[in-house]
DNA sequence: AGGATAATTAGACAAAGTCTAGTATTTTGT
DNA sequence: ACAAAATACTAGACTTTGTCTAATTATCCT
């Protein structure tokens, strides 16, 4: 699938989001790349050439996308949150010395998880393999 | 094992850490409870009664303990880091609506992880089950 | 078009964590 | 035990990520 502005508008509408200029640009930044971006990276991408989108809008929009289930939040780096346009179940590798974050592909199985206490519902299961470069 | 100041001093020395007043108090805060504490929680515990330990020392000391492998860092909450005095392999459950973080007990197996790219070494594998209270 | 609603903005603010330069404590060598 | 050297601690300024607010602008609906 190609991420034209048109397609992105449709995608936004499908998620119940009003497609505005800024939202389209932010979604485009996330979906046209296949990377995990932090809020300030999104901000930088969207505002190359002319400043177009404010910090507040970037943060608001990312949280909106999150709530609507269009993207996923990754709490991995101690200093900032990354956003992942891929919402299908998959896991991550984090290079602690460089801050690089990448997907782990493959058929990963997790067994032996005890049942949840009553009243709790699973939101997601995050598996992060922390690695570093050999010295 | 009981966490007397004496025992904690020995533990610090075993990890190659010079046991000072502040370090003993911080280690005591972490090890005498069996909880995951954030830096400001440690700060608050250590400074009940009289203010004794500065913010800089709390942060420096926690990082020192980390480097020496005496505690473990948990990147789970988007706003703060938690420190875990239990360094044996185990996993966590995080209640996203309350911020509560707890251990998962049981024999959890993770299979299907692909081999690491050459030059990379595993630091650790973190598994976090994110849950919320049913509405 | 025009009023209502929704979205965006600049900039002030908050909180976690880092850094610095000076002071205090601890250790070491004699 | 004492002085010098090394290590540790401190207050407070600073940085960074993210939030909030009140005012402005864009969009939608009839």
């Amino acid at each position: 699938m190609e991420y034209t502005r048109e397609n992105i508008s449709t995608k936004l509408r499908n998620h119940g989001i009003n497609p505005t200029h800024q939202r389209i640009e932010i979604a485009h930044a996330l979906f046209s790349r296949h990377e995990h971006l932090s809020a300030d990276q999104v901000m930088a991408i969207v505002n190359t050439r002319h400043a177009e989108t404010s910090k507040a809008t970037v943060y608001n929009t990312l949280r909106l996308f999150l709530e609507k289930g269009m993207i996923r939040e990754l709490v991995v780096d101690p200093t900032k949150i990354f956003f992942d346009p891929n919402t299908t179940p998959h896991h991550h590798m984090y290079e602690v010395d460089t801050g690089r974050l990448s997907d782990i592909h493959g058929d990963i199985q997790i067994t032996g998880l005890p049942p949840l206490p009553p009243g709790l519902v699973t939101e997601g299961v995050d598996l992060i393999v922390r690695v570093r470069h050999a010295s």
Side-chain angles (χ1 to χ4, degrees), chain A:
Chain A
M1 167 173 176
E2 238 208 304
Y3 290 110
T4 63
R5 264 57 174 179
E6 265 312 294
N7 289 345
I8 285 175
S9 280
T10 311
K11 187 182 178 74
L12 288 168
R13 261 187 277 267
N14 290 343
H15 281 86
I17 297 167
N18 220 324
T20 64
H21 275 188
Q22 288 87 339
R23 289 172 179 174
I24 291 170
E25 287 311 307
I26 291 169
H28 186 262
L30 282 161
F31 287 97
S32 69
R33 274 149 252 268
H34 303 295
E35 288 173 46
H36 311 95
L37 299 178
S38 62
D40 56 317
Q41 286 176 312
V42 170
M43 179 101 178
I45 291 169
V46 163
N47 287 334
T48 41
R49 307 196 172 288
H50 322 291
E52 292 174 333
T53 305
S54 71
K55 188 166 68 148
T57 298
V58 170
Y59 279 94
N60 288 344
T61 301
L62 289 170
R63 289 216 300 169
L64 177 67
F65 288 1
L66 261 185
E67 281 163 25
K68 299 293 186 180
M70 220 177 76
I71 62 176
R72 178 176 165 185
E73 185 184 41
L74 299 177
V75 182
V76 165
D77 182 298
T79 70
K80 65 184 73 150
I81 294 172
F82 282 96
F83 297 91
D84 189 343
N86 179 358
T87 56
T88 64
H90 67 287
H91 300 293
H92 296 95
M93 181 172 79
Y94 180 65
E95 296 174 24
V96 295
D97 45 2
T98 64
R100 221 178 75 84
L101 180 61
S102 53
D103 285 358
I104 296 179
H105 300 287
D107 185 25
I108 291 147
Q109 299 283 342
I110 299 163
T111 58
L113 283 177
L116 285 190
L120 293 177
V121 186
T122 301
E123 275 262 300
V125 176
D126 291 357
L127 177 66
I128 298 140
V129 179
R130 282 169 204 279
V131 303
R132 72 163 62 243
H133 289 81
S135 46

